Amino acid sequence: MYYHLRDHMYLAQFRDELILLDTKLDKYTICFKQLSDLFGHILEENSFCSEAKVSSSSEAQVSQDLTYIHKLLEDNIIERKTSPYPFQVDRKLKSDGVSNVDWRLPLENKNISVNIHVLRALFTLIKVNFYMKFTGLYRAIQLIKNTHKSRPKYIIPKDEELRKLANIVNKACLLYPTRIKCLEWAMTYVLLALKRGWKCNLEIGVQNYPFFAHAWVECDGKIVMDSQDLRKGLAVILNEPFRRLKR
């Protein structure tokens, strides 16, 4: 028996602490050391495959860990499976994080004409904002995952194509009546990219000391229209729909 995170839960490590993202509650939780160690055991080392075979230095520790496991099961944070947890947990053990991230739409996109592509992007942006406001982050992520299932094969587009789509999304955001945040921008871009058959991921990176989260689009290991340092400085807690598997 193995343990997996539920499909609405995501996990990453920044320095010595694990950070949990609950997409149903749109809430981040910083795990204390014992819980961080426990997640490492049950998700990556698979050393708690069975509750009857727990490896620990003390009986009290075993009892405490099993109590945590039962609580995590009750709270729908983890679930039992018959195979090992397949997904990679990003760990930034020695990162200094990032600073001075001031995400803004470029003003030069004001001069782009409104065409059918911009209108489609605007419609997608409205849809993303509707999902985020009325159904929450989890349903918005499911929208991305379900869109991904509509095609059997995806390609890596050229950099120029990625830039053109970014300009289209930027123009749609400038037409939107309220300010767009990085998460809505990235979700809109990924949905449009998937419909074009492009292999693009929504990624969310996090850090502690102080806590900070930022969303961007990833394609072929590179960040689209944002700083490439983000993936180095932040622990990537979410990457969908092309989720990275353990090596």
Side-chain angles (χ1 to χ4, degrees), residues 181-198:
K181 299 176 184 176
C182 58
L183 181 58
E184 290 86 358
W185 188 95
M187 284 184 168
T188 300
Y189 190 106
V190 168
L191 285 168
L192 292 169
L194 291 173
K195 289 177 181 178
R196 294 179 179 213
W198 297 355

Side-chain angles (χ1 to χ4, degrees), residues 53-71:
K53 295 173 64 178
V54 178
S55 174
S56 182
S57 58
S58 72
E59 197 170 312
Q61 182 73 53
V62 172
S63 177
Q64 186 67 70
D65 285 344
L66 289 177
T67 299
Y68 288 145
I69 287 175
H70 287 306
K71 180 62 175 172

Side-chain angles (χ1 to χ4, degrees), residues 11-222:
L11 184 71
Q13 181 172 358
F14 186 82
R15 296 188 190 174
D16 58 345
E17 293 177 325
L18 285 179
I19 302 173
L20 272 174
L21 168 60
D22 185 332
T23 58
K24 286 188 175 179
L25 298 178
D26 195 6
K27 177 182 178 183
Y28 294 93
T29 302
I30 311 298
C31 301
F32 54 88
K33 187 178 187 308
Q34 189 174 344
L35 188 57
S36 294
D37 292 343
L38 180 62
F39 273 120
H41 292 320
I42 64 177
L43 296 180
E44 296 188 288
E45 298 172 15
N46 299 314
S47 58
F48 281 72
C49 294
S50 136
E51 293 182 6
K53 295 173 64 178
V54 178
S55 174
S56 182
S57 58
S58 72
E59 197 170 312
Q61 182 73 53
V62 172
S63 177
Q64 186 67 70
D65 285 344
L66 289 177
T67 299
Y68 288 145
I69 287 175
H70 287 306
K71 180 62 175 172
L72 292 170
L73 287 167
E74 289 177 2
D75 291 346
N76 288 319
I77 294 173
I78 62 174
E79 61 184 337
R80 293 184 178 92
K81 293 277 189 175
T82 57
S83 59
Y85 186 66
F87 301 115
Q88 176 185 332
V89 176
D90 191 28
R91 297 180 181 273
K92 296 295 190 300
L93 303 181
K94 297 182 180 180
S95 175
D96 292 328
V98 298
S99 59
N100 300 321
V101 177
D102 186 17
W103 186 84
R104 296 173 183 267
L105 290 170
L107 294 177
E108 59 265 24
N109 293 113
K110 284 186 175 181
N111 299 323
I112 295 177
S113 62
V114 177
N115 54 35
I116 187 63
H117 301 295
V118 172
L119 292 176
R120 284 174 182 163
L122 180 59
F123 174 79
T124 304
L125 178 61
I126 293 169
K127 188 174 183 179
V128 165
N129 276 275
F130 176 86
Y131 267 75
M132 290 294 293
K133 184 174 181 179
F134 295 104
T135 67
L137 178 58
Y138 175 72
R139 292 298 178 190
I141 298 298
Q142 294 304 305
L143 175 63
I144 290 174
K145 293 166 76 170
N146 290 335
T147 302
H148 163 241
K149 295 175 183 177
S150 64
R151 284 176 177 263
K153 190 175 181 180
Y154 288 83
I155 64 168
I156 304 298
K158 296 179 180 179
D159 289 346
E160 180 60 28
E161 292 177 304
L162 292 170
R163 282 193 293 270
K164 285 181 179 178
L165 181 57
N167 290 335
I168 290 170
V169 175
N170 289 343
K171 181 63 176 182
C173 290
L174 290 170
L175 295 174
Y176 198 76
T178 59
R179 183 182 176 185
I180 296 301
K181 299 176 184 176
C182 58
L183 181 58
E184 290 86 358
W185 188 95
M187 284 184 168
T188 300
Y189 190 106
V190 168
L191 285 168
L192 292 169
L194 291 173
K195 289 177 181 178
R196 294 179 179 213
W198 297 355
K199 190 176 182 180
C200 292
N201 251 348
L202 166 70
E203 291 194 337
I204 298 177
V206 293
Q207 71 176 35
N208 208 1
Y209 317 115
F211 181 82
F212 173 74
H214 184 59
W216 61 82
V217 177
E218 176 270 335
C219 182
D220 196 26
K222 295 180 288 186

